């Protein structure tokens, strides 16, 4: 028994998705490490709101679990753990950027335009996910990738990756009726990724005395 | 006939209410900061006091210095007069649109900046250059926002957009939300509010707007301060008329609607004043070079608002 | 049964899963190495049992069909031989003090977890489950690549992790898009994610959405396959991890990633109106071949050299599947098998060589045929095989690829053949340096004794023998199988 959402329910869903995207932009905008973590936490909270709303609209209670996972893991535990790592490892508080903040934002808008262009040919006839939600999710994914590319620090690369995963979950919760298997697995992968990242940070810091990824590139062993 | 009456009433309301609004903002900020704060009628008294005083003009000032306050006040007041507050049945409304509004505010800003540089002090120069930098980013953002809204509503007039919203044309649209966010950011920048500029600072090196008017005194200063207050009310009215136009009487409606519209307008303005005070209290002032990023963000939000129209099947 | 678990699949998956837990908990590493071999043997037996029986009906979660059955057997086989090699290799490493007990427990547990995730990916019918399994395979290997904890190893593992995680994210998005395309036609829930049903209902899907999905899937699973320009993680991961891991990475994981991509290609082929996947795959395949062929020159590190060779061969396979048609698909499938066997044999040899020589730099290794005759000649034959010399299996499949490409798109054979020639030259040049000439002093680990060195060599011989036989004579059932699958691939 499928349930067709009303027009206003779509609107609210789009607004929440747009908030996730805005927090993605805010991630690109920040100069301080702790602001980055705070923006990421906000994005995760917005994602949880989106999942919860979809759970209500689609009459799919398992999405409440997704919302809870997003809220607890990504909204609380991950920023807290990363903050602890930042403090403990004494990572430099400023975010060094490969591309300035202004140009990053411009590229971000270009990526949003690109997502919309990609999605436009897909007609809106009774798809499980509206064009707008798909464009928004794809934009969040691309912004996460942009963040990973334009930041030097390992912590911000991790945050960029998590932002990318936020976009993936946004797409998945919007798709009507997608089975929970994928959602649990996404959560699982986040958890494992966190553990791995933590291990790596310690190892990288141990070896390189810094988490600036430019040091890592020296050992690119192809120069032989 | 009634259109002219409403127009005159509206213009008088704008200039009469503006100091009260500023007073409310200041009072709310004081209370939030734990002080008792001045009475909301204090700005009236300040303006009256300034009008009584002698206007001292520097030797090196030109004719522009004396003329500028009048021009600034006139341009701002005209802008305020054309944005509908409680009724859109006013004579000037058909000729009014957002682009003209931006132009008028631009004229006011232009003369302020010139006046700041006129006397030749260093601080005036700082203020003028910072103001122009902010303007160079804020104006495109405002125009971009105008484009996105007019693409949705089919007209650039605030009255027209308001009418479109009242008819149910824009509900919870992502584009409208982004445009609102952009307008709020521009409004903060244009009015010289925290986080862009601190209106009550006495540190000249951190000033933007205040630095340009450091040399003014007496009736000139009264006019400029009044213009600033009117500008704040203008932006509030603009936001209300576009994004919360409920209560604005339309041309074909009976006069009593205008009265209820007026009451609603007062409520909206008070709410926005308090919200502004809360916002200013909760955030710190940005460093000047970050203002460019902030306004760049506003511009990009407006750009996104325009882009999103195409995906939301509204066009 | 639970989750629609087929009984045959339960055995195949059960051995490595239980094995992983057992080996992780086992304190004595010596037992762990042999336990690894035994468990892998059990998995191989369970996989071989699939061959005799009729194919079971697919459930919502799991599937055994002509395409994955031989890949499952191949994976179990190579995992088994690599486990044998690993037992010899690891015991030598441990005796030389390179690895301690905690690392070894971790290593063996992860090895079985890795095998489990690969087999899960191969037997999954639910595209979401397949994605989970490929991600799990990535995660297990990342941990193993950084086993030695050197700077270079950590860099390699970090790069591998980041690049492959982004890739897998793209693949998940592509999977979501496929579900989105399927949902209006098939309704909600697990049915719309089951591959066997998707392929039947595919003609009703929206073509644009499928095309978009395929692009993301190609980028995602293509990263894991090591296609240029997404290959940057591959050389480092192969060079810095322990050699048995390089063997299974090259031999098995790349195949599994390509398998996932091919499953989606089959859905695209079933829906006739979506974008042709061929040109994209051909482009990526050709760029991989060309890039890798040129990079083979001027490599100093022996493991890196063969990592680039893996990139080249995966490029050839992708190119073959991109060309499409019965012959090219057949060639691709055959090449997947032959490459698996040959590349893992090469890495077995490389492992022993680096342990003997104490270095990975090829300039310090000379005259292997003189100093270690059995190893040297076997290695020579293996490298000649991977370079594409007859009568080995790789020559056969490369020949088929080139000829089918010539039949369909003659112009494309030029860059392909050129790339193959360039790669051939580089490998031969290096091989000559390694195998012949005066042997340089070997400063590696102590000689392990006859038993262990024979054990280390045996898998290599076995693989080479298989490749040789396949080159000369392919058994009829195998041919028949390949042809059936080639037809399905479209």
């Amino acid at each position: 028994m499928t349930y067709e959402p009303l027009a206003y329910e779509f609107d609210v869903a789009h607004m929440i998705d747009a908030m996730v995207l805005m927090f993605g932009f805010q991630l690109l905008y920040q100069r301080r490490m702790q602001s980055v973590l705070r923006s990421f936490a906000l994005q995760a909270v917005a994602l949880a709101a989106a999942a919860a709303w979809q759970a209500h609209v689609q009459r799919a209670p398992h999405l409440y679990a997704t919302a809870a996972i997003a809220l607890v893991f990504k909204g609380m535990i991950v920023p807290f753990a990363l903050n602890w790592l930042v403090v403990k490892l004494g990572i430099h508080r400023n975010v060094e950027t490969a591309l300035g903040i202004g140009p990053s934002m411009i590229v971000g808008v270009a990526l949003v335009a690109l997502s919309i262009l990609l999605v436009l040919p897909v007609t809106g006839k009774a798809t499980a996910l509206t064009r707008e939600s798909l464009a928004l999710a794809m934009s969040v994914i691309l912004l996460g990738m942009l963040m990973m590319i334009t930041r030097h620090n390992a912590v911000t690369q991790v945050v960029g990756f998590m932002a990318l995963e936020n976009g993936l979950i946004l797409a998945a919760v919007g798709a009507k009726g997608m089975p929970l298997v994928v959602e649990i697995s996404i959560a699982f992968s986040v958890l494992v990724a966190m553990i791995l990242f933590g291990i790596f940070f310690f190892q990288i810091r141990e070896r390189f005395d810094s988490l600036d990824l430019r040091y890592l590139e020296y050992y690119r062993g192809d120069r032989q | 006939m009634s259109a002219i009456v409403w127009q005159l009433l509206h213009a008088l309301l704008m200039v009469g209410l503006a100091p009260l609004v500023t007073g409310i903002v200041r009072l709310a900020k004081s209370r939030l900061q734990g002080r008792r704060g001045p009475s909301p009628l204090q700005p009236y008294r300040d303006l009256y006091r300034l009008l009584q005083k002698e206007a001292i003009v520097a030797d090196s000032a030109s004719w522009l210095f004396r003329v500028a306050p009048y021009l600034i006040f006139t341009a701002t007041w005209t802008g305020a007069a054309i944005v509908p507050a409680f009724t859109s049945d006013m004579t000037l409304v058909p000729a009014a649109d957002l682009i003209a509004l931006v132009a008028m505010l631009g004229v006011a800003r232009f003369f302020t900046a010139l006046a700041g540089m006129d006397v030749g002090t260093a601080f005036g120069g700082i203020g003028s250059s910072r103001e122009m930098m902010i303007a160079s980013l804020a104006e495109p953002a405002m125009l971009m926002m105008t484009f996105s809204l007019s693409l949705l509503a089919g007209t650039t007039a605030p009255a027209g957009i308001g009418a479109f919203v009242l008819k149910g044309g824009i509900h919870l649209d992502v584009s409208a939300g982004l445009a609102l966010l952009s307008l709020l950011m521009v409004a903060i920048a244009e009015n010289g509010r925290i986080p862009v500029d601190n209106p009550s600072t006495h540190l000249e090196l951190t000033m933007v707007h205040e630095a340009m008017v450091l040399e003014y005194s007496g009736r000139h200063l009264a006019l400029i301060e009044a213009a600033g207050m009117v500008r704040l009310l203008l932006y509030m009215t603009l936001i209300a008329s576009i994004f919360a136009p409920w209560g604005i009487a339309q041309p074909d409606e009976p006069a009593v609607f205008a009265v209820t519209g007026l009451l609603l307008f007062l409520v909206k303005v008070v709410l926005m004043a308090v919200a502004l005070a809360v916002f200013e209290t909760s955030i710190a002032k940005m460093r000047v070079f970050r203002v460019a990023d902030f306004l760049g963000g506003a511009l990009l939000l407006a750009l996104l608002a325009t882009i999103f129209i195409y995906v939301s099947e509204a066009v | 049964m639970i989750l629609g678990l087929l009984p045959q699949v339960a055995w195949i998956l059960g051995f490595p899963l239980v094995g992983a837990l057992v080996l992780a908990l086992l304190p004595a590493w010596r037992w762990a190495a042999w336990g690894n071999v035994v468990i892998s043997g059990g998995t191989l037996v369970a996989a071989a049992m699939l061959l005799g029986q009729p194919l079971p009906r697919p459930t919502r979660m799991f599937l055994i069909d002509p395409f994955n059955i031989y890949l499952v057997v191949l994976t179990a086989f190579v995992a088994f031989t690599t486990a044998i090699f690993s037992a010899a290799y690891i015991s030598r490493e441990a005796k030389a003090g390179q690895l301690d007990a905690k690392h070894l427990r971790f290593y063996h547990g992860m090895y079985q977890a890795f095998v489990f995730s690969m087999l899960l990916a191969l037997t999954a019918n639910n595209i979401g489950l397949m994605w989970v399994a490929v991600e799990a395979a990535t995660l297990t290997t990342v941990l193993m690549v950084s086993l030695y904890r050197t700077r270079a190893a950590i860099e390699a593992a970090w790069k591998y992790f980041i690049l492959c995680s982004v890739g897998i994210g793209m693949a998940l998005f592509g999977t979501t898009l496929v579900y989105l395309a399927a949902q209006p036609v098939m309704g909600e829930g697990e049915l719309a994610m089951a591959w066997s049903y998707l392929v039947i209902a595919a003609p009703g899907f929206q073509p644009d959405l499928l095309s978009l999905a395929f692009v993301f899937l190609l980028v995602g699973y293509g990263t894991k396959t090591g296609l240029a320009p997404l290959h940057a993680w591959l050389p480092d991961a192969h060079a810095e991890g322990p050699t048995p891991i390089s063997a299974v990475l090259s031999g098995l994981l790349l195949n599994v990633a390509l398998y996932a991509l091919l499953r989606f290609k089959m859905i695209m082929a079933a829906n006739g109106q979506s974008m042709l996947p061929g040109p994209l795959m051909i482009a990526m395949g050709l760029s991989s071949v060309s890039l890798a062929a040129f990079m083979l020159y001027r490599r100093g590190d022996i493991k890196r050299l063969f990592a680039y060779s893996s990139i080249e061969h995966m490029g050839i396979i992708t190119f073959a599947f991109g060309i499409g048609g019965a012959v090219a698909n057949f060639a691709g499938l055959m090449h997947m098998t032959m490459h698996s066997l040959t590349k893992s044999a090469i890495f077995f040899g490389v492992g022993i060589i680096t342990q003997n020589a104490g270095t990975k730099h090829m300039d310090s290794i000379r005259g292997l045929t003189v100093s270690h005759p059995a190893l040297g000649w076997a290695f020579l034959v293996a490298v000649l095989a991977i370079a594409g010399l007859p009568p080995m299996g790789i020559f056969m499949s490369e020949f088929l690829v080139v000829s089918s490409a010539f039949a369909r798109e003659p112009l494309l054979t030029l860059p392909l053949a050129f790339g193959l020639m360039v790669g051939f030259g580089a490998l031969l040049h290096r091989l000559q340096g390694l195998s012949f000439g005066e042997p340089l002093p070997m400063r590696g680990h102590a000689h392990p004794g006859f038993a262990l060195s024979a054990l280390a060599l045996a898998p290599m011989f076995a693989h080479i023998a298989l490749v040789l036989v396949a080159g000369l004579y392919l058994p009829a059932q195998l041919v028949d199988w390949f042809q059936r699958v080639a037809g399905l691939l479209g």
Side-chain angles (χ1 to χ4, degrees), chain B residues 300-315:
Chain B
L300 289 171
L301 279 176
L303 192 58
L304 274 177
T306 317
I307 292 175
F308 266 106
I309 293 178
Y310 290 99
V311 82
S312 70
E313 295 145 348
V315 157

Side-chain angles (χ1 to χ4, degrees), chain C residues 414-432:
Chain C
L414 286 170
L416 178 69
F418 182 64
L420 288 173
M421 290 295 143
V422 170
F424 183 83
L427 282 172
L428 242 51
H429 167 68
R430 279 300 178 189
L431 182 65
Q432 191 191 31

Side-chain angles (χ1 to χ4, degrees), chain A residues 2-3 118-119 121-123 125-129 134 137-138 141 145 148 154 157-158 161 164 167-168 171-172 175-179 181-182 185-186 188-189 192-193 196-197 199-201 203-204 206-209 213 216-224, chain C residues 61 126 128-129 131-132 135-136 139 142-143 146 148-155 157-159 161-162 165-166 168-170 172-173 175-177 179-180 183-184 187-191 193 204 206 208-209 212 216 235-236 295 298-301 304 308 361:
Chain A
T2 57
Y3 174 77
L118 283 176
V119 160
V122 176
T123 61
K125 60 158 178 142
T127 45
L129 188 67
L134 190 61
M138 207 184 300
I141 294 173
M145 278 218 292
M148 285 182 82
Q157 232 186 31
V158 167
F161 176 66
L164 192 150
L168 292 173
K176 213 149 53 102
M178 196 156 173
V181 165
V182 185
S185 68
I186 297 173
F188 170 83
S189 72
V192 178
L196 287 173
F197 283 133
I199 298 174
F200 272 125
F201 285 159
Q203 291 184 357
I204 293 178
E206 228 172 82
R207 297 286 165 195
F208 295 95
D209 296 326
L213 293 171
L216 277 182
E217 286 167 23
Y218 179 75
Y219 290 98
R220 194 180 345 159
D222 271 358
R223 306 182 194 151
Q224 303 184 38
Chain C
M61 286 285 163
N126 182 315
L129 187 64
W131 177 85
V132 174
E135 158 128 31
L139 290 175
V142 161
L143 288 171
S146 70
Y148 285 122
R149 302 276 193 273
T150 59
R151 285 190 164 189
I154 293 180
E155 185 215 337
W158 180 263
K159 207 194 282 193
F161 188 27
I162 291 283
S165 295
V166 175
I168 214 84
M170 296 292 118
L172 178 62
F173 191 61
T175 311
T176 312
L177 285 174
Y179 171 79
L180 283 177
Q183 193 260 10
E188 304 179 6
E190 286 171 4
L191 198 63
M193 290 192 79
Q206 222 174 69
D208 291 316
L209 207 47
L212 193 63
F216 276 99
D236 290 325
M295 293 292 254
R298 305 191 49 78
R299 290 298 119 215
D301 179 321
R304 218 172 270 277
Y308 276 106
H361 287 274

